[in-house]
Amino acid sequence: MTQTLTLKDRDLFWPPADELTEAAERIRARLGDWPPTHAPWRICLTAPDELNGSDLIVIADAQQHGEQMAHWLVRGAGVIEAAEEKATLHLGGEKYRLEGHLAEDWIAALAAFLDCGFDPHDALVLALAWRDGDETSADDAFPTDLSRFPRLAGLPDAPAQAFARCPERLGLYPVLPTAEWVERVVGFGVKTVQLRRKSAEPADELKREIARCVAVGRQYDAQVFINDHWQAALEAGAYGVHLGQEDVHTADLAALASAGVRLGLSTHGFYEILKALHFRPSYIALGAVFPTTTKIMPTEPQGLRRLARYVRLLDGVVPLVAIGGIDLQVLPDVLATGVGSAAVVRAVTEAADPASAVSALQHAFTQ
């Protein structure tokens, strides 16, 4: 049982609710040790007279609170509309629509997962995966059964056919800035790489870079993924593309799937994992595990504890890639979670001897 309970010292609910607080404490005690939350969310069962900036107001019908709801959101509060096996979180200009079971203790579970440091949309996913009495289970009380997790509503249709499979364990996965780097690293014997070229301009140069990557992948029988530039990758006959969460709303996923192009999708938590699964990708990337300077991240680092949770939930469902701040020093700890692949950037591109660095990184996968 956790030794870091912080619920007793916090204003969890408005109005104060002893039974809910007791239930939240009971659930929280079975979820294990997590870093203390930096956002002390308060769950409001009725709207408070004064919003504190970290309020989540629970209502049954948004239409009955239209003007009030707009006021709450402008003031920085979140609103959870929950009724009839549905829960929608309105927060920060986003709308997170979930469909699934609402246990009697779902609000208490929500408070417990918020206290574990999960962002509201991820905590809400976990609260809907919760079942009354889970805290009495003899083993791990944390939700691990994917069939009990909610569905995401309002997403674009997934392609009629699932994306082509890739190896279940992709191993070392360098993410590289140029075709020259791709050719170099594939020549070291690496079987999975990604070209992440930040600019699409000039277009002719981008096409030449992608063509070089496709050619070397075929020459060495390696899986070469192209980041973001899916149209050019499709035209070049690339093995795969890697896209971010926002790209699934604009990319022609049906064209990619029908062409046999593999798809990797980035995720940063439970909600985005469910969104990625909806599109039946070839693999899912989980990150950022550690702080990284290679790109601006939308979320705080996930850490090893969360990574282990994602792996336990998804092992055998879809190939997984850990990404973000991974180097040789932390790679053994990353692999200890059971993840089958780890993406690296600076551990290769900033190494004094890239060939030796690649050899050492690959060796870690055999230990």
Side-chain angles (χ1 to χ4, degrees), residues 124-201:
L124 185 59
V125 166
L126 292 166
L128 266 67
W130 187 261
R131 297 294 181 270
D132 293 325
D134 277 357
E135 72 275 14
T136 65
S137 84
D139 50 7
D140 192 356
F142 203 98
T144 56
D145 184 351
L146 189 60
S147 68
R148 293 186 358 183
F149 274 65
R151 300 170 301 281
L152 272 56
L155 296 179
D157 291 338
Q161 67 183 87
F163 281 90
R165 301 290 293 177
C166 62
E168 290 298 315
R169 304 183 78 80
L170 288 166
L172 180 65
Y173 187 171
V175 178
L176 305 164
T178 65
E180 182 180 355
W181 266 108
V182 169
E183 291 167 342
R184 188 178 182 186
V185 172
V186 168
F188 296 153
V190 176
K191 290 300 183 182
T192 305
V193 299
Q194 180 186 133
L195 173 68
R196 185 163 75 188
R197 192 176 188 273
K198 296 182 179 181
S199 172
E201 301 297 336

Side-chain angles (χ1 to χ4, degrees), residues 146 155-166 241 245 248 253-254 256-258 260-265 267 272-284 317-319:
L146 189 60
L155 296 179
D157 291 338
Q161 67 183 87
F163 281 90
R165 301 290 293 177
C166 62
V241 298
Q245 288 275 312
V248 298
L253 299 184
L256 291 169
S258 63
V261 177
R262 278 72 173 175
L263 175 67
L265 288 177
T267 67
E272 292 190 356
I273 285 171
L274 295 182
K275 183 177 177 180
L277 288 174
H278 169 78
F279 296 102
R280 297 180 292 175
S282 306
Y283 74 80
I284 288 177
V317 175
V318 63

